[in-house]
Amino acid sequence: MSPITEGFAVVDGLKVHYQRAGSGRPLLLLHGLVGSAKNWRQNISFLAQDSEVYAVDLFNMGESERVPGLDAGLEATADRLAAYMDALDLEEADIAAHSHGGAVAMMFAARHPERVRRLILFAPANPFCDLGHQLIRFYQTRFGVWFARQIPFLPRRLKATALSRMYGDPSRVSAGALEGYTEGLHIPGTMDHVMQIVQRWFVDMGLLRSALERLAAKPTLLIWGDCDRAVGLSSASELQSVLLQSSLMVLPGVGHIAFEEMPEICNQAMREWLSKPLASEARVTVSRRQERIAYESRVIEQGAA
């Protein structure tokens, strides 16, 4: 099994933390709104059998450096992700992403299409979902902002209850899962960044909706639990109507965090999706084979002459 190492990439003077394992084609793992690279702890080693995996603590989150006033918008975050790849000397990568990280991944693929080979999106935040609009509007109020700043100091039991609601079956919450969502919340600047994301949520979803048509040809695997309370499964069909090269995998009885709740199934689905040859790669293979056959035919003809 490939060992998991940790490191930092410096992006525009900002230290971005990541966990890395394996070798092969690069694969970036992007967490959701209050998550971290630790959310992928049950996936990294398996995926590292075939890929060079980077589980990223997104900007101002996890163990990455906090920078006050950092632009939290989807477009700025997507461009910063491109700079992150530059820092690691990665020209192209596959991307697997969850929830708000899925929105970041889609915006990144729209703005930097040549740098994304395939997408795997776990219940991505998207402009067709209105399930959480009331809650988002609450957190945009003065009282909502105040309440959000109290969340890091709530009792562990309440945080555990909130996390269990993100699962279809709360008994599947594994040891260490909660820490992946709570450890970084106490670091000064974290909640400021989260609230900036929330404050411009509807603006960013509008921008993403306009950008989605640029992803029509991008091979995309959507994975959703049918008990998702955060990003409704009903939005998947509208998303698929735009993502013309997408496939949808629905997991019955599973909630919002499918890759943690059912890691074995999700790991296998990701491996199979990433291993399929792209149409463009198949064309290149056929073309090269035809070139070789034509060359060998010329050699045979010349020998006969």
Side-chain angles (χ1 to χ4, degrees), residues 58-251:
L58 285 169
F59 317 100
N60 275 3
M61 301 294 293
E63 296 180 43
S64 290
E65 182 182 1
R66 304 300 190 267
V67 175
L70 191 71
D71 190 338
L74 276 182
E75 293 180 325
T77 304
D79 292 344
R80 211 173 290 121
L81 187 59
Y84 169 83
M85 288 179 63
D86 289 340
L88 294 175
D89 198 25
L90 303 177
E91 292 185 6
E92 181 192 57
D94 296 312
I95 298 181
H98 174 236
S99 198
H100 179 260
V104 171
M106 287 188 285
M107 182 62 80
F108 175 72
R111 292 175 68 83
H112 305 275
E114 74 288 350
R115 308 202 70 168
V116 182
R117 176 175 170 265
R118 292 183 195 264
L119 290 170
I120 302 173
L121 305 176
F122 290 91
N126 67 82
F128 308 113
C129 176
D130 57 7
L131 187 59
H133 282 189
Q134 186 174 356
L135 187 60
I136 292 169
R137 291 192 176 96
F138 166 73
Y139 280 118
Q140 290 177 340
T141 66
R142 182 175 297 180
F143 178 71
V145 171
W146 174 86
F147 179 78
R149 296 190 187 284
Q150 312 313 308
I151 292 176
F153 309 102
L154 293 176
R156 176 185 170 85
R157 177 176 53 82
L158 290 180
K159 295 174 185 174
T161 299
L163 178 62
S164 70
R165 284 183 52 79
M166 293 293 101
Y167 282 63
D169 181 353
S171 70
R172 296 188 186 126
V173 179
S174 61
L178 182 61
E179 285 67 29
Y181 295 93
T182 60
E183 284 185 345
L185 297 182
H186 291 279
I187 301 175
T190 303
M191 292 309 299
D192 290 335
H193 189 75
V194 171
M195 295 316 297
Q196 285 184 47
I197 293 172
V198 172
Q199 290 297 322
R200 56 172 297 132
W201 188 270
F202 298 112
V203 172
D204 274 339
M205 288 300 114
L207 292 172
L208 181 58
R209 185 168 194 157
S210 300
L212 282 177
E213 62 183 22
R214 285 177 259 164
L215 302 182
K218 189 65 66 178
T220 304
L221 175 62
L222 301 169
I223 302 180
W224 238 287
D226 68 355
C227 295
D228 195 323
R229 293 187 175 98
V231 182
L233 176 58
S234 60
S235 64
S237 59
E238 291 187 80
L239 195 55
Q240 278 201 287
S241 71
V242 182
L243 305 178
L244 302 181
Q245 297 300 316
S246 65
S247 297
L248 174 63
M249 178 179 180
V250 179
L251 300 178

